[in-house]
Amino acid sequence: MIKISKSRAGARRVTFSLPIGAPPGRVSVVGSFNDWTPGRHHLQPRSNGRRSTSVEVVPGTVLQFRYLGEDGHWFDDPDLPHRADGNCVCATD
C-alpha cells in the first residue's frame, strides 16, 4: 500500500506499507528515490500490524520502485496494478 501526504516545506511524504508477515523476514523498498540501493529504507513494524517506511520527495516526482525481501527476493507492490515499467507512483501537487 502506498500513501502520499503533504510534509513540511511543501514536500510530499510517500509511505510504503506491507502486512507484517507478507513476506516473512526483512523487507526494504528500493527505487529511484534512493538510487536503487538495497537496505537504505527497511520497512519497520508498526502498531497497526503493518510494516512501513517513508521518503520525502518534491511534488510531481515520479517514483519507480520494488521491494526486496530476504534471500534476494524482489517483488512488486501487491496493491498496485501490474505495469510493464515496474511499480510507479507520482507524488502529485
Side-chain angles (χ1 to χ4, degrees):
M1 178 169 76
I2 305 298
K3 178 182 174 186
I4 300 172
S5 57
K6 290 185 179 180
S7 185
R8 57 182 156 74
R12 296 296 179 263
R13 177 180 300 269
V14 180
T15 301
F16 302 90
S17 175
L18 293 171
I20 281 284
R26 287 197 77 165
V27 175
S28 63
V29 63
V30 184
S32 56
F33 53 88
N34 62 14
D35 295 323
W36 295 94
T37 305
R40 289 183 66 189
H41 291 95
H42 284 285
L43 279 69
Q44 300 297 319
R46 306 295 179 207
S47 61
N48 64 0
R50 297 185 70 83
R51 301 178 277 189
S52 67
T53 191
S54 298
V55 298
E56 289 191 5
V57 298
V58 297
T61 299
V62 176
L63 302 174
Q64 290 185 304
F65 69 95
R66 293 192 79 199
Y67 295 104
L68 178 60
E70 291 187 359
D71 299 322
H73 171 69
W74 288 93
F75 62 101
D76 296 322
D77 191 297
D79 294 328
L80 291 179
H82 179 70
R83 295 175 49 123
D85 59 352
N87 288 316
C88 184
V89 64
C90 182
T92 58
D93 295 332

